């Protein structure tokens, strides 16, 4: 029972981290139709900045998180302007090549600047203690992660479904040319969405650093995981992404707990099975 | 992208085509001989380039000719390598031709399986399936260490002499000649295949699958068949690698190898067999030079190279050169 409970909490927390990181990828992929393999690299940059701020500069955790988000967006803006702009609307192969090239570059640079070792982000004391729920004790960090994921999901839902900007964004997702013809400035929509997506990636990278440790190959190691979430959930769908994250988080965590020697074997098997059964994603729409 | 010049050659004179193929074979042969005499101490590297060239050719068949984007093609190469190595190490099949045959069969089977899986979806899910396949194959080979040697690699491959005449020597001369001959045979066969009605059908599918289906062609069946052919070619490359290095490691089933093969193909130019060969040669030669100078920045440079190719030479080296000469030829007839 104890095992089932801790697997459940870990799986939930892991799924939420996946959600926070990949929801931005899902939104931009639904909006701009770019297969962005470099999304994990932005989460990694966020983790590195937070680690540098909190560990080397000794800043508070909250400040480090803010710095990580702001810094990653600042780094991502020129990348979007100079590189991503040119691959919007191009063939899939071109997008894959460009974004995997960006990923390789970021890995190489991170390895050069920060070295190949694991980076930790020291959490405040409040997050390190276990919290008693009456019948069980849970790590406060896990609860914090779950709370963050829930907040992001609700906030995004409100942002997309209830604000004027969200309406423009959904219009651009459905038909960019028509939205532009009706006076929606799609470049602004694209730029803001890209910034939000990168910011969320950085936030997820920092918050989830305990579950997905920050190291130079982060971007490659979890790339497939983030892409799987999007393709399983269906690009641009928040409920789809949430369901996919929780499902994949559960499969991966259970596999690790019960059969650690098989590593990621079951995870990839499950991925193939799920994509095989739902080639358009859980919540995907026919094109 | 390149189909313009190739389509012309189909409608054009048969003799001109054969002449062009003969020139292509002669160029490969000349480069092979030049390599043998210019770099006698580097034959192992040249043999590896030959083996990887087979992998990139095979990737070109599905990506360049059929338009299937895959980042898991090393699974086919690794299947061939492990097939040949397991046949030699566990079953005592030491004849290199037989090992090659086992590698080709293993590669074809891997091609069939991954083709059926990858072709199930389109777009991003297709890419995800291909990445999942290579990771799954890597994990499986790592776990089945009784057969594959796990992360230590599978050693103890002792190929016999080729046809009982040419023993594999310490300098890798026999392996090199074996590889070049294999490459030329495969190249000639593939030229025939991509020009055949079947090859044209594949190119048609890349350009417009809906139309091919409307014309009564079987899109899925054709692509799966091309995947099997591609698997055979990649398997041959894997077997060549196993025979020449006499050890097979997990790196032959890695995502990195898949991604690098894609980089080589795009660097050379997709949709042309020459592009695949040129891309492999350029990339691996460049890798050898740069990683000798500074191995740490290799990944950064590969990334920058990719970005540069996408921005400045989207047709690849061969494609850009070919369209340049075509352009010039049209100006001065």
């Amino acid at each position: 029972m104890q095992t089932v409970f801790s697997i459940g909490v870990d799986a939930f927390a892991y799924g939420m981290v996946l959600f926070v990181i990949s929801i931005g990828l899902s939104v931009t992929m639904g909006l701009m139709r770019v297969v962005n393999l470099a999304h994990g690299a932005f989460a990694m940059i966020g983790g590195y900045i937070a680690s540098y701020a909190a560990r080397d500069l000794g800043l508070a955790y909250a400040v480090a998180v803010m710095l990580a988000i702001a810094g990653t967006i600042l780094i991502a803006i020129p990348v979007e302007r100079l590189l991503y702009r040119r691959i919007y609307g191009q063939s899939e192969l071109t997008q894959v090549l460009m974004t995997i090239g960006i990923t390789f570059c970021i890995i190489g640079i991170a390895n050069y600047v920060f070295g190949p070792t694991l980076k930790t982000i020291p959490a405040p004391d409040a997050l390190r203690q276990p919290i008693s729920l009456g019948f069980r004790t849970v790590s406060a960090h896990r609860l914090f992660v779950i709370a963050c994921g829930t907040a992001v999901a609700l906030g995004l839902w409100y942002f997309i479904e209830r604000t004027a900007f969200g309406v423009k964004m959904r219009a651009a997702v459905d038909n960019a040319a028509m939205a532009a013809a009706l006076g929606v400035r799609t470049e602004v929509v694209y730029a803001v969405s890209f910034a939000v997506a990168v910011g969320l990636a950085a936030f997820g990278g920092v918050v989830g650093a305990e579950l997905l440790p920050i190291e130079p190959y982060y971007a490659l190691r979890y790339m497939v995981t983030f892409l799987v979430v999007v393709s399983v959930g269906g690009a641009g769908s928040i409920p789809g992404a949430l369901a996919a994250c929780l499902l994949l988080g559960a499969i991966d965590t259970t596999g690790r707990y019960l059969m650690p020697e098989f590593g990621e074997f079951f995870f990839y098997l499950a991925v193939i099975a799920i994509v095989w059964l739902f080639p358009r994603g859980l919540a995907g729409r026919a094109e | 992208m390149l189909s313009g010049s190739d389509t012309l050659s189909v409608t054009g004179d048969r003799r001109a085509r054969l002449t062009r193929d003969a020139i292509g074979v002669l160029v490969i042969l000349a480069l092979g001989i030049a390599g043998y005499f210019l770099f006698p101490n580097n034959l192992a590297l040249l043999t590896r380039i030959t083996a990887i060239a087979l992998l990139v050719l095979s990737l070109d068949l599905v990506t360049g000719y059929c338009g299937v984007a895959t980042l898991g093609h090393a699974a086919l190469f690794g299947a061939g390598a492990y097939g040949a190595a397991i046949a030699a190490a566990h079953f005592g099949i030491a004849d290199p031709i037989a090992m090659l045959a086992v590698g080709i069969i293993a590669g074809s089977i891997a091609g069939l399986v991954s083709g059926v899986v990858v072709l199930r979806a389109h777009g991003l899910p297709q890419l995800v399936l291909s990445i999942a396949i290579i990771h799954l194959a890597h994990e499986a080979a790592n776990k089945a260490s009784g057969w594959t040697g796990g992360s230590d690699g599978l050693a103890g491959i002792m190929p016999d002499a080729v046809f009982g005449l040419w023993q594999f020597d310490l300098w890798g001369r026999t392996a090199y000649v074996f590889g070049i001959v294999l490459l030329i045979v495969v190249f000639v066969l593939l030229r025939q295949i991509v020009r055949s009605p079947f090859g044209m059908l594949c190119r048609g599918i890349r350009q417009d699958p809906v139309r091919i289906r409307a014309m009564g062609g079987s899109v899925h069946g054709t692509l799966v068949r091309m995947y099997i052919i591609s698997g055979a070619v990649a398997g041959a490359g894997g077997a060549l690698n196993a025979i020449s290095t006499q050890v097979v490691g997990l790196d032959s089933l890695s995502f990195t190898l898949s991604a690098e093969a894609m980089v080589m193909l795009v660097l050379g130019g997709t949709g042309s067999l020459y592009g695949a060969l040129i891309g492999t040669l350029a990339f691996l030669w460049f890798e050898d030079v740069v990683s000798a100078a500074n191995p740490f920045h290799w990944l950064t440079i590969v990334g920058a190279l990719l970005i540069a190719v996408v921005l400045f030479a989207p047709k690849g080296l061969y494609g850009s050169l070919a369209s340049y000469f075509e352009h010039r030829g049209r100006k001065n007839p």
Side-chain angles (χ1 to χ4, degrees), chain B residues 18 37 45 56 67 82 85 136 166 225 239-240 258 269 271 278 284 329:
Chain B
L18 287 178
F37 287 107
L45 171 69
V56 178
Y82 273 111
L136 194 66
W166 297 286
R225 261 181 283 163
L240 171 62
S258 305
I278 292 173
L284 288 174

Side-chain angles (χ1 to χ4, degrees), chain A residues 29 86 92 94 96-98 100-101 104-105 107-108 112 220 223-224 228 231 261-262 265 268-269 275-276 279, chain B residues 116 120 123-125 127-129 131-132 135-136 139 143 255 262 266 297 299-300 302-304 306-307 310-311:
Chain A
M29 213 173 264
R86 314 209 176 195
E92 216 159 77
T94 312
V96 166
L97 293 166
M98 171 65 97
I100 211 172
F104 279 169
C105 268
I107 292 176
Y112 176 69
L220 265 187
M223 180 172 86
V224 55
V228 165
S231 71
E261 71 274 18
F262 276 95
F265 188 82
Y268 292 117
L269 208 57
V275 181
W276 176 275
Chain B
V116 168
R120 170 83 187 170
L124 173 72
L127 204 62
V128 165
L129 279 177
I131 302 176
H135 281 292
L136 194 66
E139 286 292 319
K143 286 305 158 221
F255 173 78
M262 183 58 93
V266 173
H297 297 318
L299 211 53
T300 320
V302 173
L306 256 181
I307 296 173
V310 172
L311 290 183

Side-chain angles (χ1 to χ4, degrees), chain A residues 23-34 169 172-174 190 230 234-237 285:
Chain A
I23 187 63
L25 181 61
S26 175
V27 168
T28 48
M29 213 173 264
L31 186 61
M32 306 174 204
R33 314 243 187 275
V34 174
M169 205 180 117
V173 170
D174 281 345
Y190 285 1
V230 177
S237 151
R285 293 177 293 186

Side-chain angles (χ1 to χ4, degrees), chain B residues 282-331:
Chain B
F283 182 91
L284 288 174
W285 170 78
F286 189 60
E287 178 184 29
D288 191 56
V289 172
V290 174
S291 59
N294 190 338
F296 297 107
H297 297 318
W298 174 234
L299 211 53
T300 320
I301 292 170
V302 173
L305 194 67
L306 256 181
I307 296 173
V309 168
V310 172
L311 290 183
F312 304 116
K315 288 178 179 172
L317 294 175
Y318 178 76
S320 301
L321 276 179
S323 56
Y324 172 74
F325 280 116
E326 200 178 315
H327 196 70
R328 239 181 53 160
R330 222 177 281 152
K331 257 186 200 162

Side-chain angles (χ1 to χ4, degrees), chain A residues 6 57 114 124 168 175 211 257:
Chain A
S6 49
L57 302 181
F114 294 101
K168 288 179 189 167
N175 191 336
L211 294 158
Y257 261 93

Side-chain angles (χ1 to χ4, degrees), chain A residues 24 27-28 39 73 156 159 165 190-202:
Chain A
V27 168
T28 48
H39 194 72
I73 293 177
L156 263 186
F159 181 62
F165 184 82
Y190 285 1
V192 172
S193 314
F194 191 82
V196 171
V198 167
L200 281 177

Side-chain angles (χ1 to χ4, degrees), chain A:
Chain A
M1 195 59 210
Q2 181 65 45
T3 327
V4 173
F5 183 74
S6 49
I7 290 179
V9 170
D10 273 9
F12 197 28
Y14 183 67
M16 280 305 189
V17 171
L18 286 187
F19 174 74
V20 174
I21 298 179
S22 15
I23 187 63
L25 181 61
S26 175
V27 168
T28 48
M29 213 173 264
L31 186 61
M32 306 174 204
R33 314 243 187 275
V34 174
V35 179
N36 183 7
L37 302 189
H39 194 72
F42 291 120
M44 181 176 88
I45 294 177
Y48 271 115
I49 296 177
S51 164
Y52 181 73
R55 206 175 57 159
D56 299 326
L57 302 181
L59 298 172
Y61 188 70
V63 180
V65 172
M66 294 297 165
L67 269 181
I69 295 174
T72 311
I73 293 177
L74 272 184
I75 292 176
I77 285 173
V79 174
E80 200 264 350
R81 291 255 139 180
L82 294 174
L83 301 178
Y84 280 87
R85 277 288 157 88
R86 314 209 176 195
I87 57 170
Y88 292 156
Q90 298 243 15
S91 80
E92 216 159 77
L93 186 63
T94 312
Q95 300 178 343
V96 166
L97 293 166
M98 171 65 97
T99 52
I100 211 172
I102 295 172
T103 313
F104 279 169
C105 268
I106 292 178
I107 292 176
I109 295 169
N111 203 5
Y112 176 69
V113 177
F114 294 101
T117 52
L118 281 184
K119 294 284 175 212
T120 55
I121 304 170
D125 291 336
L127 287 184
R128 285 189 204 164
Q129 293 148 355
I131 286 184
S132 173
L133 292 180
F135 62 107
R136 291 270 188 277
T137 50
V138 195
S139 146
H141 181 264
R142 298 283 187 277
L143 284 184
F144 172 66
V145 167
I146 292 170
C148 288
T150 317
V152 166
L154 288 178
L156 263 186
W157 174 81
Y158 182 81
F159 181 62
I160 293 178
E161 298 288 332
R162 289 284 182 271
T163 61
F165 184 82
V167 172
K168 288 179 189 167
M169 205 180 117
R170 279 182 288 144
V173 170
D174 281 345
N175 191 336
M178 183 56 81
L182 292 174
V184 175
R185 294 183 61 192
T186 45
E187 309 94 73
V188 177
V189 175
Y190 285 1
V192 172
S193 314
F194 191 82
V196 171
V198 167
L200 281 177
F203 181 58
V206 178
V207 171
E210 210 162 285
L211 294 158
L212 311 177
I214 300 292
E215 40 111 17
Y217 282 92
Y218 183 106
L220 265 187
R221 179 157 300 156
Y222 303 112
M223 180 172 86
V224 55
T225 315
F226 304 143
L227 287 175
V228 165
V229 168
V230 177
S231 71
V232 168
S237 151
I238 295 183
L242 194 59
C245 287
L246 295 179
L247 180 65
L248 290 166
I251 294 172
D252 198 27
T253 313
T254 317
R256 273 172 215 273
Y257 261 93
L258 301 182
M259 278 164 289
E261 71 274 18
F262 276 95
E264 314 228 281
F265 188 82
F266 287 103
F267 178 74
Y268 292 117
L269 208 57
V271 166
I272 292 179
I274 295 172
V275 181
W276 176 275
L277 290 176
F278 304 96
R280 292 189 194 282
L282 293 175
R285 293 177 293 186
E287 305 220 341

